[in-house]
Amino acid sequence: MGSENIIQIIITSIIQGITEFLPVSSSGHILFVNKIFDWKDIINLNLLIAVHFGTLVAVVKYFWLDIKKYFIFGFIEIFKKKEGNKMQSKMLTNVIISTLPIAFVGFFLSSTASDNKILNSLYTPSALIFSTFFFAIILFVSDKIRPEIPLTTEKEFNNLSFIHAFFIGIFQIFALIPGASRAGVCISAARFLGYNRISATKYSMYLSVPTIIGAVLLINTNLVDTSFYFSWLEILFGFILSFIFAFFTIDFFLKILKKMSLTVFVIYRIFLAILMFVYMF
């Protein structure tokens, strides 16, 4: 392993693992760090796939009982003729509804990426700084406008209607903007609707499963045009590292939300936006 490769793998894996499920934007951090180090590829797609898979396996591992309950048994429940309270299939349907908007928009932008002026404008330093700051304010407002509701997570999930799922899905489209944060916009949407922080966060993590899979598939379509300068051993190292940091970040995030609001992440994002502005301009 080359020293430059090792540094890039370690930093990219740790950033992806920590920031994927926090409302701080993993893509924004990775773009900023790549700008600081001036690596030869802005983002090497092979490494990006590896670290995304690491976070995907982490969230599936952490929520395996829920994944099995909602994604597997929920799928089976859809085809059952027996009527009644189909909570498992309802959750799966909600996840699908919330995922469809970003899937359609993401596919469209990916298919026109080479000549899409709007998409290209989103990857400028100015856009990155603005979205990091702007969506921090959205997160702050959403968390303060609704008082914390002392309901259990399960009851909260039972209250999630198809309309609410679609509303969260529309918000999730903003995750395509670097700096916005997929977790952040999903949590903001759920908080605007009145769901408590734990429910909003867990639902954003459930949505990460199809979203990360979709992101990896879109990235994979561009691999033909990308030089493969990481060895398989280095790619495996990136996968393992991102998995470890993502798994413990999920656990840490859910625990601290029981004791504090989202303000600390808002403050961090504002500080990060200022740091980006000072460095890039």
Side-chain angles (χ1 to χ4, degrees):
M1 295 186 185
S3 59
E4 183 180 359
N5 280 12
I6 293 177
I7 293 174
Q8 185 174 3
I9 290 168
I10 291 176
I11 293 178
T12 303
S13 301
I14 292 176
I15 289 176
Q16 177 66 26
I18 293 177
T19 61
E20 176 63 37
F21 302 108
L22 298 180
V24 295
S25 178
S26 59
S27 61
H29 279 77
I30 290 177
L31 284 171
F32 184 44
V33 169
N34 274 268
K35 181 75 173 178
I36 292 174
F37 284 90
D38 194 27
W39 281 316
K40 52 186 175 182
D41 256 354
I42 294 178
I43 301 177
N44 181 266
L45 298 185
N46 301 288
L47 177 59
L48 202 58
I49 286 177
V51 298
H52 271 78
F53 263 123
T55 56
L56 174 62
V57 174
V59 72
V60 171
K61 170 67 176 176
Y62 190 88
F63 290 109
W64 173 241
L65 293 180
D66 289 349
I67 296 296
K68 183 170 62 174
K69 177 181 178 182
Y70 296 127
F71 287 66
I72 299 177
F73 294 155
F75 180 78
I76 297 173
E77 192 177 69
I78 291 176
F79 298 96
K80 286 185 177 180
K81 295 182 179 180
K82 184 179 179 180
E83 297 295 329
N85 182 22
K86 294 187 175 183
M87 176 185 167
Q88 296 170 165
S89 60
K90 181 183 178 183
M91 174 57 70
L92 176 61
T93 303
N94 280 332
V95 169
I96 294 172
I97 291 173
S98 294
T99 303
L100 286 176
I102 193 173
F104 281 122
V105 176
F107 178 78
F108 171 76
L109 292 178
S110 176
S111 62
T112 61
S114 59
D115 58 350
N116 193 312
K117 294 181 180 180
I118 297 177
L119 181 61
N120 294 334
S121 68
L122 296 179
Y123 283 81
T124 63
S126 298
L128 176 60
I129 294 169
F130 175 79
S131 62
T132 299
F133 178 83
F134 176 77
F135 286 100
I137 303 303
I138 296 297
L139 181 66
F140 178 79
V141 173
S142 69
D143 196 43
K144 296 301 180 183
I145 201 171
R146 294 281 190 176
E148 189 67 344
I149 305 172
L151 298 178
T152 64
T153 301
E154 286 296 326
K155 191 171 183 179
E156 282 290 317
F157 283 160
N158 283 335
N159 291 336
L160 185 65
S161 66
F162 295 151
I163 296 298
H164 285 185
F166 184 70
F167 178 80
I168 295 172
I170 293 298
F171 254 68
Q172 193 175 208
I173 293 174
F174 292 115
L176 296 170
I177 304 173
S181 170
R182 189 203 59 78
V185 295
C186 289
I187 293 171
S188 295
R191 292 292 289 140
F192 275 128
L193 293 171
Y195 295 95
N196 66 39
R197 297 184 187 110
I198 298 297
S199 294
T201 301
K202 288 188 70 175
Y203 189 67
S204 78
M205 291 178 179
Y206 293 165
L207 291 182
S208 72
V209 175
T211 305
I212 293 175
I213 291 174
V216 168
L217 290 177
L218 287 178
I219 293 171
N220 193 55
T221 60
N222 296 317
L223 279 180
V224 176
D225 302 320
T226 305
S227 58
F228 190 89
Y229 63 84
F230 287 106
S231 69
W232 286 110
L233 182 60
E234 291 170 332
I235 293 297
L236 178 61
F237 179 57
F239 166 82
I240 295 173
L241 203 57
S242 64
F243 164 80
I244 293 173
F245 276 89
F247 186 87
F248 287 105
T249 297
I250 293 171
D251 186 62
F252 171 76
F253 189 28
L254 291 174
K255 286 179 178 177
I256 65 171
L257 282 182
K258 297 177 181 179
K259 304 176 182 179
M260 58 185 290
S261 69
L262 296 166
T263 304
V264 63
F265 298 102
V266 174
I267 295 173
Y268 171 77
R269 289 182 61 137
I270 293 174
F271 173 78
L272 179 63
I274 294 173
L275 184 62
M276 288 178 175
F277 179 81
V278 172
Y279 182 83
M280 294 182 179
F281 292 96

PDB file of all heavy atoms in Angstrom, residues 4 7 13 34 38 73 162 182 209 219:
ATOM      1  N   GLU A   4       0.236   7.498   0.274  1.00  0.00           N
ATOM      2  CA  GLU A   4      -0.855   8.398  -0.100  1.00  0.00           C
ATOM      3  C   GLU A   4      -2.185   7.659  -0.133  1.00  0.00           C
ATOM      4  O   GLU A   4      -3.214   8.176   0.305  1.00  0.00           O
ATOM      5  CB  GLU A   4      -0.578   9.034  -1.466  1.00  0.00           C
ATOM      6  CG  GLU A   4      -1.648  10.047  -1.879  1.00  0.00           C
ATOM      7  CD  GLU A   4      -1.390  10.674  -3.233  1.00  0.00           C
ATOM      8  OE1 GLU A   4      -0.359  10.338  -3.852  1.00  0.00           O
ATOM      9  OE2 GLU A   4      -2.211  11.493  -3.662  1.00  0.00           O
ATOM     10  N   ILE A   7      -3.433   7.019   3.481  1.00  0.00           N
ATOM     11  CA  ILE A   7      -3.988   8.231   4.088  1.00  0.00           C
ATOM     12  C   ILE A   7      -5.380   8.523   3.527  1.00  0.00           C
ATOM     13  O   ILE A   7      -6.320   8.823   4.276  1.00  0.00           O
ATOM     14  CB  ILE A   7      -3.052   9.432   3.841  1.00  0.00           C
ATOM     15  CG1 ILE A   7      -1.737   9.234   4.592  1.00  0.00           C
ATOM     16  CG2 ILE A   7      -3.724  10.728   4.296  1.00  0.00           C
ATOM     17  CD1 ILE A   7      -0.695  10.295   4.289  1.00  0.00           C
ATOM     18  N   SER A  13     -12.659   6.696   4.713  1.00  0.00           N
ATOM     19  CA  SER A  13     -13.451   5.669   5.399  1.00  0.00           C
ATOM     20  C   SER A  13     -14.002   6.174   6.725  1.00  0.00           C
ATOM     21  O   SER A  13     -15.173   5.941   7.055  1.00  0.00           O
ATOM     22  CB  SER A  13     -12.590   4.426   5.645  1.00  0.00           C
ATOM     23  OG  SER A  13     -12.103   3.893   4.436  1.00  0.00           O
ATOM     24  N   ASN A  34     -11.151  16.220   0.240  1.00  0.00           N
ATOM     25  CA  ASN A  34     -10.424  16.003  -1.017  1.00  0.00           C
ATOM     26  C   ASN A  34      -9.852  17.301  -1.558  1.00  0.00           C
ATOM     27  O   ASN A  34      -8.787  17.315  -2.169  1.00  0.00           O
ATOM     28  CB  ASN A  34     -11.349  15.359  -2.054  1.00  0.00           C
ATOM     29  CG  ASN A  34     -11.393  13.851  -1.964  1.00  0.00           C
ATOM     30  OD1 ASN A  34     -10.634  13.156  -2.622  1.00  0.00           O
ATOM     31  ND2 ASN A  34     -12.257  13.334  -1.099  1.00  0.00           N
ATOM     32  N   ASP A  38      -6.004  17.728  -2.025  1.00  0.00           N
ATOM     33  CA  ASP A  38      -5.736  17.815  -3.457  1.00  0.00           C
ATOM     34  C   ASP A  38      -5.317  16.460  -4.016  1.00  0.00           C
ATOM     35  O   ASP A  38      -4.310  16.326  -4.720  1.00  0.00           O
ATOM     36  CB  ASP A  38      -4.646  18.858  -3.737  1.00  0.00           C
ATOM     37  CG  ASP A  38      -4.577  19.212  -5.220  1.00  0.00           C
ATOM     38  OD1 ASP A  38      -5.616  19.078  -5.899  1.00  0.00           O
ATOM     39  OD2 ASP A  38      -3.482  19.592  -5.692  1.00  0.00           O
ATOM     40  N   PHE A  73     -40.028  -9.746   6.287  1.00  0.00           N
ATOM     41  CA  PHE A  73     -41.372 -10.197   6.634  1.00  0.00           C
ATOM     42  C   PHE A  73     -42.433  -9.246   6.084  1.00  0.00           C
ATOM     43  O   PHE A  73     -43.542  -9.669   5.758  1.00  0.00           O
ATOM     44  CB  PHE A  73     -41.522 -10.333   8.150  1.00  0.00           C
ATOM     45  CG  PHE A  73     -40.667 -11.421   8.738  1.00  0.00           C
ATOM     46  CD1 PHE A  73     -40.269 -11.371  10.063  1.00  0.00           C
ATOM     47  CD2 PHE A  73     -40.270 -12.502   7.973  1.00  0.00           C
ATOM     48  CE1 PHE A  73     -39.482 -12.377  10.618  1.00  0.00           C
ATOM     49  CE2 PHE A  73     -39.489 -13.510   8.508  1.00  0.00           C
ATOM     50  CZ  PHE A  73     -39.093 -13.448   9.830  1.00  0.00           C
ATOM     51  N   PHE A 162     -48.864   7.364   4.672  1.00  0.00           N
ATOM     52  CA  PHE A 162     -48.261   7.377   3.346  1.00  0.00           C
ATOM     53  C   PHE A 162     -47.957   8.810   2.901  1.00  0.00           C
ATOM     54  O   PHE A 162     -46.960   9.063   2.220  1.00  0.00           O
ATOM     55  CB  PHE A 162     -49.181   6.691   2.335  1.00  0.00           C
ATOM     56  CG  PHE A 162     -49.388   5.222   2.601  1.00  0.00           C
ATOM     57  CD1 PHE A 162     -50.567   4.588   2.233  1.00  0.00           C
ATOM     58  CD2 PHE A 162     -48.405   4.463   3.229  1.00  0.00           C
ATOM     59  CE1 PHE A 162     -50.756   3.234   2.466  1.00  0.00           C
ATOM     60  CE2 PHE A 162     -48.586   3.108   3.485  1.00  0.00           C
ATOM     61  CZ  PHE A 162     -49.772   2.495   3.103  1.00  0.00           C
ATOM     62  N   ARG A 182     -28.274  13.747   3.762  1.00  0.00           N
ATOM     63  CA  ARG A 182     -29.457  12.903   3.607  1.00  0.00           C
ATOM     64  C   ARG A 182     -30.125  12.688   4.957  1.00  0.00           C
ATOM     65  O   ARG A 182     -31.344  12.815   5.100  1.00  0.00           O
ATOM     66  CB  ARG A 182     -29.071  11.564   2.974  1.00  0.00           C
ATOM     67  CG  ARG A 182     -30.272  10.685   2.575  1.00  0.00           C
ATOM     68  CD  ARG A 182     -29.894   9.229   2.498  1.00  0.00           C
ATOM     69  NE  ARG A 182     -29.390   8.773   3.777  1.00  0.00           N
ATOM     70  CZ  ARG A 182     -30.165   8.466   4.812  1.00  0.00           C
ATOM     71  NH1 ARG A 182     -31.471   8.566   4.707  1.00  0.00           N
ATOM     72  NH2 ARG A 182     -29.644   8.059   5.943  1.00  0.00           N
ATOM     73  N   VAL A 209     -30.881   2.361   3.702  1.00  0.00           N
ATOM     74  CA  VAL A 209     -30.629   1.053   3.073  1.00  0.00           C
ATOM     75  C   VAL A 209     -30.900   1.104   1.561  1.00  0.00           C
ATOM     76  O   VAL A 209     -29.985   0.865   0.762  1.00  0.00           O
ATOM     77  CB  VAL A 209     -31.462  -0.058   3.750  1.00  0.00           C
ATOM     78  CG1 VAL A 209     -31.283  -1.384   3.010  1.00  0.00           C
ATOM     79  CG2 VAL A 209     -31.047  -0.212   5.214  1.00  0.00           C
ATOM     80  N   ILE A 219     -23.127   4.926  -8.937  1.00  0.00           N
ATOM     81  CA  ILE A 219     -21.675   5.108  -8.992  1.00  0.00           C
ATOM     82  C   ILE A 219     -21.046   4.024  -9.865  1.00  0.00           C
ATOM     83  O   ILE A 219     -20.146   4.287 -10.666  1.00  0.00           O
ATOM     84  CB  ILE A 219     -21.064   5.052  -7.569  1.00  0.00           C
ATOM     85  CG1 ILE A 219     -21.516   6.252  -6.741  1.00  0.00           C
ATOM     86  CG2 ILE A 219     -19.534   5.038  -7.640  1.00  0.00           C
ATOM     87  CD1 ILE A 219     -21.131   6.151  -5.275  1.00  0.00           C
TER      88      ILE A 219
END
